Amino acid sequence: MIYDRLYMVTFLFYFSLYCLIHSYLLYPLIVKVAASGRKHNENIYTKEDIELPELSILMSAYNEEAVIREKLSSIFASNYPKEKLQVYIGSDCSDDQTHSLIEAFVKKYPEQLHFYPFTERRGKPVVINELVAAAAKQVPIAFEHIFIITDANVMFSPQTIFELVKHFKNKEISLVDSNIQHPPRSVGQGGIAKNESSYISREVGIKHAEGRAWGRMIGPLGGCYAFRSSHFEEVPPGFLVDDFYIAMKVFEKGGFAINEPQAICYEDVSSSMAVEFRRKTRISTGNFANLAVFWRLLLPNKGWLAFAFWSHKVLRWLGPFCMATALITNVLLAFLNGGNLFYQILFLFQICGYIGLPLLDFLTRKLGFRISILRYITYFIAMNLALLKGFFNYIKGVRNNVWQPTKRNIG
């Protein structure tokens, strides 16, 4: 009996380690190899194409006075044909200067900019649902209609819109994600800005490879992405991660999703660990809500979609549990049944990684030193703790999907 238990403990230890290694190290290599040699979608619109689709940009705004002027300016500076471009903004009961700043643009672009100053705070998904309904009424059903959902703090480059929309000439493609980059000014802010920027850059690379390999990019970066209006489905009340929900509905309807590296836009990155921890906790809560809805997409009959969903997302979401399981089973293997030197050494490495190195990072920063590897380890541990907190928030239940957005940086 004791050998059976030891076998099970050993299996759990190595399985937990494998899940972590697979998601963070092996899968990025696998998808990169799978994408090599495969061409990006070549059935695209050209800038001179008279058949470019009608486009509606949808944006939920809450107290965005710091960024809304720059955001709208970046939209209207686009090289996409103005006669095919409409902008719908819903203010989620803003109480700063957001309304007056938007209204100034409405006067300048009365035929293109549609503003809905909602008087009750309800959260981004509800606002987006209403904007979709409003935009859909304006375009005849016979016309191809593309939606772009974007955040107020994500600034477009002149080519962003066209680079997103050009892929919809291919009828198989139903969602296209952008390449969100961080301005040098935000990456140089210190704190965790460099870590967060590196994480986003790595994510964009993985998503692009998924799209090239299988047409199964697992979830856009919600700050800016485009999709066919025919594939939209209302986001249910209480959902915190609407972009992932919309993308999964695209897959349920048989559509493909890709990333376009040339659809470059810019978003300031937070330098505060506390701010990013709260944001990742909220996203984690929404991720588990999405998992409860879309678990069928993990079944083997879904093929590469299931493999990508498991590898890229679900195993990461379960990362805190894998880390905890690896630690507990390591303790049992190290100190029970007479002890084992190999597992005792591994246990010391774990304690050092979980506690010792983050503590050393804290102390060195207090002394004015910055050691990059220590910052990355601290960031990794903190973001997994945010995942864990998000899980327990989901278990307790989400009362509403209204949240306080990250404080905007002003250039």
Side-chain angles (χ1 to χ4, degrees):
M1 181 65 71
I2 189 170
Y3 290 106
D4 290 341
R5 291 177 180 174
L6 187 62
Y7 174 80
M8 180 58 67
V9 170
T10 305
F11 171 79
L12 287 174
F13 174 72
Y14 284 105
F15 181 73
S16 299
L17 287 182
Y18 173 77
C19 289
L20 292 168
I21 292 170
H22 176 85
S23 181
Y24 286 99
L25 297 176
L26 292 180
Y27 178 68
L29 293 176
I30 291 170
V31 72
K32 185 176 181 180
V33 170
S36 63
R38 290 178 178 255
K39 294 182 178 180
H40 202 28
N41 173 47
E42 295 181 329
N43 183 15
I44 60 175
Y45 290 110
T46 65
K47 291 182 179 179
E48 296 76 25
D49 203 323
I50 62 172
E51 296 180 352
L52 281 171
E54 301 285 337
L55 172 68
S56 294
I57 296 177
L58 315 175
M59 182 166 57
S60 174
Y62 173 70
N63 287 358
E64 301 289 3
E65 63 180 6
V67 296
I68 195 65
R69 184 187 289 110
E70 182 182 358
K71 172 66 174 194
L72 291 174
S73 296
S74 76
I75 290 175
F76 289 110
S78 168
N79 58 20
Y80 201 78
K82 299 296 187 293
E83 67 275 11
K84 295 192 174 185
L85 173 63
Q86 299 289 317
V87 181
Y88 295 81
I89 303 178
S91 171
D92 196 15
C93 196
S94 299
D95 56 14
D96 62 354
Q97 297 301 310
T98 297
H99 287 192
S100 59
L101 292 170
I102 295 175
E103 287 165 354
F105 274 85
V106 172
K107 293 178 181 178
K108 190 174 181 180
Y109 302 98
E111 302 298 322
Q112 293 177 272
L113 181 54
H114 312 273
F115 180 42
Y116 300 85
F118 299 117
T119 58
E120 181 182 352
R121 188 102 157 86
R122 293 172 295 173
K124 177 183 174 181
V126 177
V127 173
I128 291 298
N129 287 342
E130 296 206 17
L131 295 179
V132 165
K137 293 177 182 178
Q138 301 299 320
V139 179
I141 194 168
F143 285 82
E144 180 71 83
H145 193 183
I146 304 301
F147 292 142
I148 291 180
I149 293 181
T150 184
D151 290 341
N153 65 319
V154 176
M155 306 304 164
F156 290 0
S157 59
Q159 73 272 16
T160 301
I161 296 175
F162 172 77
E163 293 294 336
L164 286 172
V165 174
K166 71 181 183 182
H167 290 286
F168 291 102
K169 188 173 184 179
N170 185 337
K171 299 303 180 183
E172 291 186 324
I173 292 176
S174 300
L175 187 148
V176 183
D177 193 20
S178 64
N179 179 3
I180 296 181
Q181 300 182 2
H182 301 298
R185 68 170 185 265
S186 65
V187 177
Q189 289 172 356
I192 63 164
K194 184 177 180 180
N195 308 102
E196 181 64 16
S197 181
S198 297
Y199 167 77
I200 295 298
S201 178
R202 186 169 184 265
E203 280 295 286
V204 168
I206 293 173
K207 290 172 187 288
H208 180 62
E210 287 174 335
R212 286 181 59 189
W214 309 306
R216 296 290 190 255
M217 180 202 66
I218 305 299
L221 296 171
C224 178
Y225 62 101
F227 59 95
R228 295 185 189 276
S229 60
S230 57
H231 282 63
F232 177 79
E233 208 167 297
E234 280 197 359
V235 182
F239 264 64
L240 294 172
V241 186
D242 50 288
D243 52 301
F244 195 83
Y245 180 90
I246 291 170
M248 291 297 106
K249 282 297 179 181
V250 163
F251 291 139
E252 280 192 340
K253 296 181 178 182
F256 285 179
I258 65 172
N259 170 271
E260 174 47 66
Q262 297 305 313
I264 297 171
C265 43
Y266 300 94
E267 178 184 23
D268 275 317
V269 60
S270 172
S271 61
S272 167
M273 182 75 79
V275 169
E276 196 59 29
F277 184 88
R278 289 194 297 271
R279 192 177 77 90
K280 287 290 197 299
T281 298
R282 177 186 62 82
I283 292 173
S284 172
T285 305
N287 287 339
F288 286 106
N290 274 302
L291 182 58
V293 172
F294 297 110
W295 62 270
R296 290 179 181 84
L297 298 182
L298 294 168
L299 299 178
N301 66 322
K302 298 301 180 181
W304 290 116
L305 172 59
F307 176 70
F309 192 5
W310 271 111
S311 302
H312 191 174
K313 294 298 182 180
V314 176
L315 291 183
R316 287 196 192 181
W317 300 344
L318 298 178
F321 302 98
C322 292
M323 294 170 68
T325 300
L327 180 63
I328 294 169
T329 53
N330 198 4
V331 169
L332 296 175
L333 293 170
F335 299 107
L336 295 183
N337 195 31
N340 184 301
L341 181 60
F342 173 72
Y343 290 108
Q344 288 172 358
I345 294 173
L346 287 182
F347 174 70
L348 290 176
F349 273 107
Q350 281 187 298
I351 292 299
C352 182
Y354 290 2
I355 300 174
L357 294 180
L359 179 60
L360 182 60
D361 175 54
F362 173 79
L363 294 175
T364 54
R365 286 189 296 111
K366 287 294 183 181
L367 294 173
F369 297 102
R370 290 182 55 83
I371 303 176
S372 295
I373 187 64
L374 295 181
R375 276 275 79 186
Y376 279 107
I377 293 171
T378 301
Y379 175 83
F380 178 79
I381 298 297
M383 295 309 107
N384 273 278
L385 288 174
L387 281 170
L388 186 63
K389 187 173 188 297
F391 171 77
F392 288 113
N393 286 351
Y394 167 70
I395 294 298
K396 289 189 295 184
V398 179
R399 295 181 181 179
N400 62 67
N401 58 1
V402 175
W403 60 286
Q404 185 68 28
T406 304
K407 184 177 179 181
R408 306 309 190 194
N409 296 321
I410 304 175

